[in-house]
Amino acid sequence: MDYFNAFWVGGLICALVQILLDKTKLLPGRVMVLLVCSGALFSAIGIYQPLTDFAGAGASVPLLGFGQVLWKGMKKAIDQDGFMGLFMGGFTACAVGVSAALVFSYIASWIFKPKMKE
Protein backbone atom coordinates (compact mmCIF):
# COMPACT_ATOMS: atom_id res chain seq x y z
CA MET A 1 0.00 0.00 0.00
CA ASP A 2 2.97 2.34 0.59
CA TYR A 3 3.96 2.09 -3.07
CA PHE A 4 0.41 2.80 -4.19
CA ASN A 5 0.12 5.89 -1.98
CA ALA A 6 3.49 7.18 -3.15
CA PHE A 7 2.47 6.61 -6.77
CA TRP A 8 -0.88 8.37 -6.70
CA VAL A 9 0.25 11.32 -4.53
CA GLY A 10 3.39 11.88 -6.63
CA GLY A 11 1.35 11.50 -9.81
CA LEU A 12 -1.23 13.99 -8.57
CA ILE A 13 1.46 16.54 -7.74
CA CYS A 14 3.04 16.08 -11.18
CA ALA A 15 -0.34 16.31 -12.93
CA LEU A 16 -1.21 19.55 -11.10
CA VAL A 17 2.15 21.05 -12.03
CA GLN A 18 1.68 20.01 -15.66
CA ILE A 19 -1.75 21.67 -15.70
CA LEU A 20 -0.16 24.80 -14.21
CA LEU A 21 2.47 24.80 -16.96
CA ASP A 22 -0.09 24.21 -19.72
CA LYS A 23 -2.76 26.66 -18.60
CA THR A 24 -0.59 29.60 -17.56
CA LYS A 25 2.21 31.52 -19.17
CA LEU A 26 4.57 30.81 -16.28
CA LEU A 27 8.03 29.71 -17.34
CA PRO A 28 9.34 26.40 -15.96
CA GLY A 29 11.94 28.13 -13.79
CA ARG A 30 9.28 30.21 -12.08
CA VAL A 31 7.11 27.14 -11.52
CA MET A 32 10.09 25.39 -9.93
CA VAL A 33 10.64 28.33 -7.57
CA LEU A 34 6.92 28.36 -6.80
CA LEU A 35 7.05 24.66 -5.89
CA VAL A 36 10.05 25.01 -3.58
CA CYS A 37 8.54 28.05 -1.84
CA SER A 38 5.16 26.29 -1.56
CA GLY A 39 6.82 23.26 0.01
CA ALA A 40 8.49 25.47 2.59
CA LEU A 41 5.24 27.32 3.27
CA PHE A 42 3.20 24.12 3.58
CA SER A 43 5.83 22.78 5.98
CA ALA A 44 5.76 25.95 8.04
CA ILE A 45 2.00 25.74 8.55
CA GLY A 46 2.16 22.00 9.26
CA ILE A 47 0.41 20.61 6.17
CA TYR A 48 3.26 18.92 4.33
CA GLN A 49 4.72 16.65 7.03
CA PRO A 50 1.52 14.57 7.37
CA LEU A 51 1.47 14.23 3.57
CA THR A 52 5.06 12.94 3.50
CA ASP A 53 4.25 10.56 6.35
CA PHE A 54 1.35 9.22 4.28
CA ALA A 55 2.91 9.16 0.81
CA GLY A 56 6.63 8.81 1.53
CA ALA A 57 8.71 9.38 -1.60
CA GLY A 58 5.60 10.40 -3.56
CA ALA A 59 5.58 13.64 -1.58
CA SER A 60 9.25 14.04 -0.65
CA VAL A 61 10.83 13.55 -4.09
CA PRO A 62 9.05 16.37 -6.02
CA LEU A 63 10.30 19.92 -5.59
CA LEU A 64 7.75 20.49 -2.85
CA GLY A 65 9.82 18.05 -0.79
CA PHE A 66 12.96 20.11 -1.41
CA GLY A 67 11.15 23.11 0.10
CA GLN A 68 10.27 20.95 3.08
CA VAL A 69 13.91 19.94 3.55
CA LEU A 70 14.98 23.59 3.44
CA TRP A 71 12.33 24.51 6.01
CA LYS A 72 13.29 21.68 8.37
CA GLY A 73 16.96 22.65 8.16
CA MET A 74 16.24 26.30 8.81
CA LYS A 75 13.95 25.52 11.72
CA LYS A 76 16.54 23.25 13.34
CA ALA A 77 19.37 25.76 12.80
CA ILE A 78 17.32 28.66 14.16
CA ASP A 79 16.59 26.64 17.31
CA GLN A 80 20.31 25.91 17.73
CA ASP A 81 22.02 29.08 16.48
CA GLY A 82 19.36 31.78 16.70
CA PHE A 83 19.16 34.38 13.96
CA MET A 84 22.26 33.12 12.12
CA GLY A 85 20.52 29.77 11.66
CA LEU A 86 18.20 31.53 9.25
CA PHE A 87 21.10 31.78 6.81
CA MET A 88 22.86 28.49 7.58
CA GLY A 89 20.05 25.98 8.04
CA GLY A 90 18.94 25.53 4.46
CA PHE A 91 22.49 24.95 3.25
CA THR A 92 23.33 22.31 5.81
CA ALA A 93 20.03 20.46 5.34
CA CYS A 94 20.29 20.06 1.59
CA ALA A 95 24.05 19.99 1.14
CA VAL A 96 24.27 16.25 0.45
CA GLY A 97 21.57 16.29 -2.23
CA VAL A 98 22.91 19.37 -3.98
CA SER A 99 26.49 18.07 -3.83
CA ALA A 100 25.44 14.71 -5.26
CA ALA A 101 23.58 16.44 -8.10
CA LEU A 102 26.67 18.50 -8.93
CA VAL A 103 29.06 15.54 -8.81
CA PHE A 104 26.85 13.21 -10.86
CA SER A 105 26.08 15.88 -13.46
CA TYR A 106 29.80 16.57 -13.80
CA ILE A 107 30.49 12.85 -14.30
CA ALA A 108 27.67 12.68 -16.84
CA SER A 109 29.26 15.57 -18.76
CA TRP A 110 32.40 13.43 -19.17
CA ILE A 111 30.45 10.45 -20.46
CA PHE A 112 27.98 12.15 -22.80
CA LYS A 113 28.52 14.79 -25.44
CA PRO A 114 26.30 17.80 -24.67
CA LYS A 115 24.69 19.43 -27.70
CA MET A 116 22.82 22.66 -28.17
CA LYS A 117 19.21 22.38 -29.29
CA GLU A 118 18.63 23.56 -32.81
Side-chain angles (χ1 to χ4, degrees), residues 35-36 39 43 48 52 59-71:
L35 289 170
V36 172
S43 295
Y48 207 71
T52 56
S60 63
V61 170
L63 280 175
L64 291 166
F66 185 66
Q68 181 192 28
V69 168
L70 290 174
W71 170 256

Side-chain angles (χ1 to χ4, degrees), residues 49-94:
Q49 185 59 45
L51 183 63
T52 56
D53 293 341
F54 173 74
S60 63
V61 170
L63 280 175
L64 291 166
F66 185 66
Q68 181 192 28
V69 168
L70 290 174
W71 170 256
K72 282 181 169 180
M74 287 177 56
K75 185 176 176 188
K76 181 179 175 184
I78 289 171
D79 291 342
Q80 290 177 351
D81 302 321
F83 181 73
M84 288 305 289
L86 183 66
F87 303 103
M88 300 180 335
F91 293 115
T92 57
C94 68

Side-chain angles (χ1 to χ4, degrees), residues 8-72:
W8 78 262
V9 170
L12 180 64
I13 291 170
C14 292
L16 292 173
V17 171
Q18 189 62 49
I19 291 169
L20 182 67
L21 284 168
D22 291 344
K23 299 295 181 185
T24 66
K25 294 185 180 193
L26 290 174
L27 298 173
R30 292 184 182 189
V31 172
M32 290 169 57
V33 169
L34 180 68
L35 289 170
V36 172
C37 292
S38 297
L41 178 66
F42 293 156
S43 295
I45 59 177
I47 294 174
Y48 207 71
Q49 185 59 45
L51 183 63
T52 56
D53 293 341
F54 173 74
S60 63
V61 170
L63 280 175
L64 291 166
F66 185 66
Q68 181 192 28
V69 168
L70 290 174
W71 170 256
K72 282 181 169 180

